Amino acid sequence: MADTHAKLTVNGKEYELPIIQGTLGRPVIDIAALQASGFWSYDPGFMVTAPVESKITYIDGGKGELLHRGYPIDQLANNAEYLEVAYALIHGDLPNSEQKADFFQKIREHSGVHDQLRKFFEGFRRDAHPMAIMVGVVGALSAFYHEHLDVSNEEDRELTAIRLIAKMPTLAAMSYKYSQGEPFMYPRNDFNYAENFLYMMFATPADVDYKTNDVITRAMDKIFTLHADHEQNASTSTVRLAGSTGANPYACIAAGIAALWGPSHGGANEAVLEMLDEIGSVENVPEFMEKVKSREVKLMGFGHRVYKNFDPRAQVMKETCDEVLAALGINDPKLELAMALEKIALEDPFFIERNLYPNVDFYSGIILKAIGIPTSMFTVIFSLARTSGWISHWLEMHSAPFKIGRPRQLYTGETRREFVKAEDRK
C-alpha cells in the first residue's frame, strides 16, 4: 500500500500521486490522478508502466535473478519437474507429495484430445508452419470443449487450466506429425510429461518397443521449466489484455501464441540456427565475430534485453547442453560451429565487458537441434512451455477485480475537417 506520495504540478495545480512499494523491485507511482488533470502519460512500449499487480514471477535484470513464486529458477530447473513448477505458478506454492500425485494424474487424464480434431488438422496445408497450426487449433478448442467455460466460476477456470497444460504437448506433436505426413501418436499414461511429448513427436505405430532416453527427457523437461514464465512480456501481456474482455481462455492462449510467434519475441532460438547457417563453417567464425564487433551483423543468442549481466537460465541450459551432446555423441558441423562461437564470447574481452554472454535461447536451440527437432518447431515448444505461465496470469487476473484493458494514445493525425464529395475534391 502507498505510504508516500509524489507531487506533480500541472498548469499551476498540484496533484498527489501515491507511491506503492511491492515486496521486491522498484516502487511504482499511481498516476490515476492524472485523469483529473486533463493529461495522460506517454510511454511507448510500456517501458516504465506497470499495468498489473502480480505475485507470480519476479525478475531483477541487473542481478540476473528470476523467481517463480519466490523460488530461484536454477533451483526449480535442477530439482523440480516442469509440472511441479506449473502447479506452483498456478497455486502459489510447490505441491506436496499428495498434491503432486493428484495434479499429475489430472494432467494425464486430460492429455488426449477430441477425436474430431484430427479432421480439423486436415484443413491445413501440409506445408503450413506448425505455429500457424497451433494458433488455429488452440483457438478452436473452445468449440470442442465448450462446457465449463464460465470465466467467473473458479472450478471452470481451474479445469480449463488443466486441460490446456495437458493438451498442449499433444497438439504440438500433432502439428509436427501433420507437417511430416506421419500418423498421429496418442499420449501414454505410463510416460511423464516430457517423455510423452518426445514419444508423440518421434514414435510411429511400428515402434512397439519405443524407449526413451533419460538424458534427453531431462533436457526437455528443463527446457519446459526454463521457458514456463517470464513476467509481463509481450505474449503474457497479450493474454491478459485479451482476458480482460472476458474472452474464453482458449482464445486468450491462442492470442498469446500468435504474439510469441513474432520474431522479436519467441523466435530467438530459431534465429540462432539461422545465424549458424549464415556463418557456414568454423573457419568463418573469427571473421563473423569481427563483423559483430564493428556492428555489421547481429549476434543472435547472446545478451538479453532484460538481463544486463547474465541470463540466470543460461547456466542451467549450458550444463544440460553439455550433457546432451556428450550422451548423443553427435558430430554435427553446426553444433561444432555453435561451440566455437560460445568459446570466443566467453573469452574475448569485447564480449565480456559488454555482458554478451550466451543466453537461454542459444543453448536451447543447440539442444533441440541435437535432439532432432526441426527449427520450425522451436517456437511451438516455447509456446507449449509458456502455457503454464500464460494460464497462471489469466487465472490471477480473474481471481480479483480487474478492468478491461484500454490504452490511450497520442493522436497526431488530421484535425476535424468536413466531408467533400469525390467530384468536388481537388
Side-chain angles (χ1 to χ4, degrees):
M1 299 298 293
D3 53 10
T4 57
H5 294 77
K7 296 185 185 298
L8 176 69
T9 302
V10 181
N11 292 338
K13 185 173 181 179
E14 188 175 86
Y15 297 88
E16 284 196 346
L17 306 179
I19 298 175
I20 306 171
Q21 178 66 61
T23 54
L24 290 170
R26 297 185 184 188
V28 300
I29 299 174
D30 183 347
I31 60 172
L34 280 179
Q35 185 76 15
S37 73
F39 287 83
W40 290 327
S41 63
Y42 181 58
D43 179 23
F46 303 107
M47 299 305 294
V48 292
T49 298
V52 302
E53 177 184 329
S54 181
K55 298 178 180 178
I56 297 172
T57 294
Y58 172 73
I59 298 172
D60 187 323
K63 292 181 180 178
E65 184 175 56
L66 171 61
L67 307 177
H68 292 328
R69 297 294 190 179
Y71 302 107
I73 188 60
D74 59 326
Q75 293 183 23
L76 291 173
N78 287 323
N79 299 288
E81 294 179 62
Y82 169 73
L83 287 183
E84 292 181 87
V85 177
Y87 181 96
L89 291 174
I90 293 171
H91 296 286
D93 295 294
L94 286 168
N96 59 33
S97 297
E98 184 178 340
Q99 291 166 333
K100 176 181 175 180
D102 179 66
F103 186 70
F104 280 37
Q105 179 58 30
K106 287 178 180 176
I107 295 294
R108 282 191 292 271
E109 289 173 356
H110 289 280
S111 59
V113 296
H114 198 292
D115 195 55
Q116 285 291 105
L117 269 170
R118 289 189 301 105
K119 295 183 178 179
F120 191 86
F121 272 86
E122 292 171 6
F124 295 100
R125 287 173 43 153
R126 288 284 181 181
D127 60 353
H129 195 289
M131 279 295 280
I133 295 175
M134 289 297 288
V135 171
V137 173
V138 173
L141 285 178
S142 61
F144 294 91
Y145 303 97
H146 47 77
E147 79 286 6
H148 303 294
L149 274 183
D150 181 357
V151 297
S152 66
N153 184 294
E154 184 177 355
E155 292 182 359
D156 282 10
R157 295 198 301 266
E158 182 151 347
L159 174 59
T160 303
I162 293 286
R163 281 177 166 168
L164 275 162
I165 294 171
K167 297 180 191 306
M168 283 298 282
T170 308
L171 296 174
M174 289 174 77
S175 71
Y176 170 70
K177 287 293 194 183
Y178 184 77
S179 69
Q180 299 299 303
E182 296 180 5
F184 297 142
M185 299 299 292
Y186 297 106
R188 284 173 45 171
N189 286 343
D190 57 327
F191 283 161
N192 65 33
Y193 195 78
E195 281 179 313
N196 238 331
F197 174 66
L198 292 167
Y199 166 74
M200 290 186 288
M201 279 283 293
F202 296 119
T204 68
D207 295 327
V208 293
D209 295 320
Y210 178 87
K211 289 183 173 53
T212 59
N213 182 310
D214 290 342
V215 173
I216 292 177
T217 298
R218 286 197 302 272
M220 185 57 66
D221 194 80
K222 286 186 179 182
I223 286 175
F224 292 162
T225 294
L226 293 172
H227 290 86
D229 191 49
H230 211 238
E231 205 225 60
Q232 305 304 321
N233 53 77
S235 57
T236 300
S237 297
T238 298
V239 171
R240 279 186 176 262
L241 187 59
S244 75
T245 70
N248 77 75
Y250 301 113
C252 296
I253 299 303
I257 295 172
L260 186 70
W261 193 9
S264 295
H265 188 10
N269 49 14
E270 189 171 342
V272 170
L273 272 293
E274 292 171 356
M275 176 187 70
L276 297 180
D277 283 333
E278 291 175 9
I279 297 173
S281 65
V282 173
E283 294 76 29
N284 299 331
V285 169
E287 179 185 355
F288 178 81
M289 293 303 250
E290 289 303 316
K291 289 182 178 179
V292 171
K293 292 179 183 180
S294 61
R295 303 182 187 277
E296 294 178 54
V297 296
K298 281 188 80 173
L299 182 61
M300 305 305 297
F302 290 76
H304 196 279
R305 183 180 181 184
V306 173
Y307 301 110
K308 304 308 179 187
N309 289 312
F310 66 94
D311 183 342
R313 302 166 297 175
Q315 185 57 41
V316 178
M317 204 82 277
K318 172 177 168 50
E319 294 168 0
T320 303
C321 182
D322 293 340
E323 290 173 7
V324 169
L325 296 183
L328 296 180
I330 293 175
N331 184 19
D332 186 327
K334 191 175 289 188
L335 298 179
E336 183 183 355
L337 178 55
M339 294 301 100
L341 279 177
E342 178 198 43
K343 187 175 188 299
I344 291 178
L346 294 178
E347 295 177 356
D348 191 316
F350 177 88
F351 299 99
I352 295 172
E353 290 167 7
R354 291 164 176 76
N355 295 317
L356 290 176
Y357 299 110
N359 60 35
V360 69
D361 297 308
F362 179 77
Y363 292 116
S364 63
I366 295 171
I367 292 171
L368 294 175
K369 161 73 174 169
I371 292 173
I373 294 174
T375 54
S376 62
M377 282 294 296
F378 285 8
T379 315
V380 173
I381 291 172
F382 194 161
S383 66
L384 186 170
R386 185 55 58 85
T387 295
S388 61
W390 288 332
I391 201 63
S392 297
H393 284 274
W394 182 86
L395 288 168
E396 182 180 61
M397 182 184 70
H398 277 281
S399 67
F402 62 91
K403 296 181 178 180
I404 184 172
R406 181 58 174 89
R408 299 299 184 175
Q409 67 173 12
L410 173 63
Y411 177 71
T412 55
E414 294 286 347
T415 56
R416 178 188 172 92
R417 51 183 173 170
E418 299 302 319
F419 176 83
V420 178
K421 292 182 178 180
E423 57 268 24
D424 298 326
R425 294 174 201 151
K426 293 181 181 179

